[in-house]
Amino acid sequence: MADEKRYPMTLNGKQKLEEELETLKTETRPQVIERIKIARSFGDLSENSEYESAKDEQSMVESRINTIEHMLHYAEIIDDEAIDSNEVSLGRVVEFQELPDEEPEEYTIVGAAEADPMSGKISNDSPIAKGLLGKKVGDVVTIATPGGDMKVKILTVKSAE
């Protein structure tokens, strides 16, 4: 049997997934089931858009529940306490500057399950994170991105909490 994919994540990220799973199971799923019951009472299901919509939502909810359960089962919690405090790793906030003279940027590196680029959380699978992981404060790194190589200097690394 092939090795299952591991899902590296912070403890905080795992807790958020557990909360989402609980909400889906105890609130969202029962609401969707109730919508299906109500829509069934409208009669002919072949032309019942409310029923189709509720069934589609049920499918999405069940898919998300399965995905979260799978990710939690294969979660790999990263303990950033065991890693040098100047080293870029999962769960750390890294500030870097694109050379020669761009403005500094700051991102938290998280597992793919936690990624939210709009709030400054990038996946460890992203090109930028891959280029920074394992590097230390003061290092100058060339990162291969889809838009071309970028050269950056790591300014600070700190714990996300």
Side-chain angles (χ1 to χ4, degrees):
M1 185 175 241
D3 288 333
E4 288 291 332
K5 177 178 169 45
R6 303 301 294 170
Y7 294 91
M9 62 182 72
T10 61
L11 184 57
N12 186 34
K14 181 178 185 252
Q15 290 167 341
K16 285 183 180 177
L17 280 177
E18 289 170 337
E19 289 167 12
E20 181 183 352
L21 181 62
E22 183 68 18
T23 300
L24 287 169
K25 285 181 167 183
T26 62
E27 295 174 26
T28 309
R29 181 190 268 165
Q31 290 168 357
V32 172
I33 290 170
E34 186 60 28
R35 281 186 51 216
I36 291 171
K37 283 183 191 175
I38 292 169
R40 269 195 186 134
S41 71
F42 295 154
D44 185 8
L45 298 182
S46 66
E47 295 180 18
N48 187 329
S49 62
E50 289 89 356
Y51 178 77
E52 288 301 319
S53 173
K55 290 299 284 182
D56 288 346
E57 185 177 355
Q58 181 184 39
S59 176
M60 288 187 292
V61 168
E62 294 303 324
S63 176
R64 182 65 181 155
I65 287 171
N66 288 337
T67 298
I68 293 172
E69 286 176 338
H70 182 79
M71 288 175 13
L72 289 172
H73 183 74
Y74 293 101
E76 181 179 330
I77 305 304
I78 304 301
D79 178 14
D80 75 346
E81 304 274 324
I83 299 168
D84 181 343
S85 63
N86 286 321
E87 184 177 327
V88 179
S89 69
L90 201 76
R92 297 267 171 88
V93 178
V94 60
E95 181 184 26
F96 61 88
Q97 178 180 23
E98 188 174 351
L99 301 175
D101 56 3
E102 295 291 323
E103 290 295 314
E105 297 178 49
E106 185 175 274
Y107 294 102
T108 304
I109 299 181
V110 295
E114 304 170 69
D116 181 7
M118 298 306 285
S119 63
K121 295 179 178 182
I122 61 172
S123 166
N124 61 309
D125 290 331
S126 71
I128 291 175
K130 283 182 177 179
L132 295 173
L133 286 169
K135 306 299 188 278
K136 298 186 183 240
V137 173
D139 286 354
V140 174
V141 182
T142 300
I143 300 172
T145 70
D149 288 354
M150 63 188 263
K151 193 174 199 176
V152 302
K153 181 175 183 176
I154 300 172
L155 303 175
T156 63
V157 176
K158 60 188 175 195
S159 184
E161 274 79 81

